[in-house]
Amino acid sequence: MQVWDNDIFNPDDYLGEIELNLNDMLGYAKSSKSCSLSQMPEFNKDVPSEGTFSLFESKRVRGWWPMKGKLTKPPEKKGKLGLAGKIELEFEIVTKEEAEERPAGRARDDPNANPKLDPPNRPDTSFFWFTSPWKSCKFIIWRRFKWLIIALIFLIIIVAFLVLFFYNFPEYSVRRLVIGK
C-alpha cells in the first residue's frame, strides 16, 4: 500500500508505503501511539516470527501499521528510510457467497454498509493558512499557548497600569501637597 499527497498545482508527492503479505502479516498496534517501525522486520531484527498471523485464518483484523518512506527532515537523515507515517487499516476476508449476500459499494457509494464507512474525520486545521490567518492562529497557536497568551496579556495590563501610576504619581502628590486638593 502506498500513500501519496494530493497536490492541486504541483505533482503529487510520494509519502510512504507498507507491504503486507496476507499469509504472513506483520503484527499490528492497537493505537497510533504504540505504532512504530519496530513492528517491521527490516528495522527490528528481533521481530518474532510468531508475532505474524494469516489473514485467511483470522478472517478480520483492524489495527495500525507503520509506513516507511524516505525522510526529508532533519538534514542529516535526508534520503534515509524512516517512519513516514502511520495508517489505520481494517481487513476482512469473505467468501464469494458472503460477498454476494452483503454487497459493498465503492468508497462511500451505496450500499455503504459492509463495512460502514463514516465520513472522514478531518481536523479543522486542514485549511490553507494563507487564505485564513485568523483560523490558523486559532487552531495552531491559541490551542497550544492559550494560557501563556492570557498570562502575557494580564502581565502587560499590570505593567501598563504600574507605569502610568509611577509616571503620574509625582504630579498628583505635588499637586495634593501644594494645592491641597
Side-chain angles (χ1 to χ4, degrees), residues 130-169:
F130 189 69
T131 59
S132 180
W134 293 115
K135 200 181 231 187
S136 81
C137 188
K138 175 184 173 188
F139 286 109
I140 297 171
I141 298 171
W142 181 253
R143 283 188 179 172
R144 294 182 85 195
F145 302 108
K146 175 172 45 176
W147 295 111
L148 183 66
I149 292 170
I150 290 172
L152 201 63
I153 290 171
F154 187 70
L155 185 67
I156 289 171
I157 290 171
I158 289 175
V159 168
F161 177 74
L162 290 174
V163 166
L164 288 173
F165 176 76
F166 287 117
Y167 177 78
N168 291 320
F169 180 73

Side-chain angles (χ1 to χ4, degrees), residues 15 35-37 43 65-69 71 81-86:
L15 298 177
C35 180
S36 69
L37 284 176
F43 292 96
W65 283 271
M67 307 231 3
K68 64 181 176 183
L71 300 175
L81 280 181
L83 183 65
K86 301 171 184 182

